[in-house]
Amino acid sequence: MAKRWINDLTHSDVTPEKAFLNRRQILAGLGAGIGAGAAFGVAGQAHAQEALKPNKWDDITNYCNYYEFGTGKEDPARNAHTLTTEPWTVKIDGLVDNPGDYALGDILAKMTIEERIYRFRCVEAWSMVVPWNGFELADLLSMAGVKSDAKYVAFETVFRPEEMPGTRYQVLDWPYVEGLRLDEAMHPLTLMATGLYGKPLPNQNGAPLRLVVPWKYGFKSIKSILRITLTDTQPPTSWNKANAREYGFYSNVNPTVDHPRWSQASERPIGGGLFAGRKDTLMFNGYDEVASLYDGMDLAANF
Ligand code: MTE
């Protein structure tokens, strides 16, 4: 069922040292495709040959947004250990043929998982390269059997106040919720992540199961998913509910549409050190293959 993934990062990234020493090649390499765990492919006039270097484990696991454990970037790493992630059951309901409670262990037993998948992830004005492990959301939705009238997928994070100290504060309306259009959800790039670097997902990154949509900002990266509902109406998202003017439903990486309070034309790679500057952000994070999902849409209105 699950396919072997081809790594197809569209940004290049390198170690901080190389970023400093080989700045010119690196700039030339932006936009290059990445071969499976190997050297860069060649894009346009660029001929950079740099090994892909994902962010360090410590960067990825200590700089997080998971407001149920506090609003500071380092709060989740400090506080999320209190979340019980085993056993874990995902409820899949709504417009599906086989609604029910799916034990994560049973889901994983049906998938080829723990395949190393490199995905570029870009969040607001900062970015990381994260070696996620997981499986395609489409494979899970196929198990549940999507009915023909389904148009959207709604996601819900676990809500356990006794394990989630941040939920004492109404910074967001709990539980945290997200949504995708069905075609976005079924796209083979859309991933349910269960691990990082071949290890189980740390709680602060959304254990045991979180969404990764590589052409969208981090807001779609809903963590510790407990429920998935197929619907025919656009579902609410936590950030849109909190501030609709600043956060729309789509959350595509779109350098041409500014956030009301900052430009989205460039990003700051995390872990790049003092000398790593910002870099230009590519439309859809460079995943051109998703562009057709948005044909004919006004992406300034649907941000
Ligand atoms: N999921 C839940 N349940 N709660 C949250 O506060 N924050 C979102 C998203 N998923 C969030 C969440 C935001 S704003 C971002 S930027 C990403 O998670 C960050 O993912 P990371 O911490 O793994 O980098």
Side-chain angles (χ1 to χ4, degrees):
M1 174 188 287
K3 302 149 200 78
R4 279 239 153 248
W5 275 87
I6 308 282
N7 294 321
D8 52 1
L9 256 179
T10 43
H11 282 216
S12 57
D13 201 52
V14 291
T15 59
E17 292 77 15
K18 282 186 180 162
F20 179 52
L21 296 172
N22 297 330
R23 246 185 122 59
R24 197 171 296 211
Q25 285 99 307
I26 291 148
L27 290 173
L30 286 176
I34 307 294
F40 287 163
V42 173
Q45 77 285 39
H47 292 272
Q49 289 289 319
E50 294 283 347
L52 166 66
K53 188 79 179 163
N55 273 89
K56 293 196 177 75
W57 173 269
D58 284 351
D59 290 335
I60 299 168
T61 59
N62 287 304
Y63 193 90
C64 299
N65 274 343
Y66 197 165
Y67 279 14
E68 290 89 329
F69 297 100
T71 53
K73 295 275 185 273
E74 290 168 8
D75 289 342
R78 248 194 316 268
N79 300 330
H81 59 91
T82 50
L83 182 66
T84 313
T85 58
E86 270 180 84
W88 195 267
T89 299
V90 185
K91 179 183 285 304
I92 307 186
D93 60 2
L95 300 171
V96 288
D97 299 325
N98 315 306
D101 295 326
Y102 289 71
L104 182 57
D106 294 343
I107 296 171
L108 295 181
K110 298 200 173 94
M111 309 264 181
T112 313
I113 54 150
E114 305 311 322
E115 290 161 356
R116 177 163 288 197
I117 317 167
Y118 288 95
R119 283 284 174 270
F120 182 80
R121 189 274 305 270
C122 172
V123 179
E124 299 196 23
W126 43 270
S127 63
M128 289 190 208
V129 173
V130 183
W132 300 112
N133 305 83
F135 53 86
E136 292 177 30
L137 173 59
D139 286 339
L140 178 58
L141 296 181
S142 301
M143 268 186 211
V146 178
K147 286 191 192 279
S148 58
D149 45 346
K151 294 194 180 70
Y152 294 91
V153 187
F155 303 85
E156 199 175 297
T157 292
V158 64
F159 178 57
R160 286 189 205 134
E162 67 285 6
E163 295 185 2
M164 299 175 129
T167 59
R168 272 180 303 201
Y169 309 98
Q170 278 298 318
V171 284
L172 290 173
D173 188 17
W174 314 112
Y176 192 98
V177 291
E178 254 307 343
L180 291 174
R181 222 170 52 192
L182 185 61
D183 56 348
E184 299 178 319
M186 297 300 281
H187 195 281
L189 285 171
T190 300
L191 177 73
M192 295 298 270
T194 55
L196 268 181
Y197 274 108
K199 298 184 211 165
L201 207 54
N203 284 6
Q204 61 266 34
N205 293 94
L209 190 65
R210 62 87 69 70
L211 183 64
V212 178
V213 190
W215 69 95
K216 293 185 182 268
Y217 284 104
F219 316 117
K220 292 291 168 194
S221 304
I222 181 170
K223 297 176 166 177
S224 309
I225 296 168
L226 204 59
R227 185 173 180 188
I228 299 176
T229 308
L230 280 287
T231 70
D232 57 3
T233 46
Q234 185 174 295
T237 76
S238 281
W239 287 95
N240 180 256
K241 284 200 289 184
N243 189 341
R245 198 178 76 88
E246 297 195 2
Y247 303 112
F249 177 76
Y250 281 92
S251 309
N252 281 326
V253 172
N254 188 343
T256 67
V257 177
D258 286 346
H259 181 277
R261 285 181 284 128
W262 55 78
S263 161
Q264 302 192 138
S266 69
E267 63 206 43
R268 177 172 63 89
I270 296 291
L274 276 180
F275 298 106
R278 301 180 68 85
K279 61 185 186 187
D280 289 347
T281 291
L282 298 178
M283 187 71 195
F284 303 123
N285 249 342
Y287 292 96
D288 298 332
E289 60 266 52
V290 302
S292 61
L293 299 181
Y294 308 101
D295 275 352
M297 284 179 67
D298 177 355
L299 295 183
N302 296 286
F303 56 95

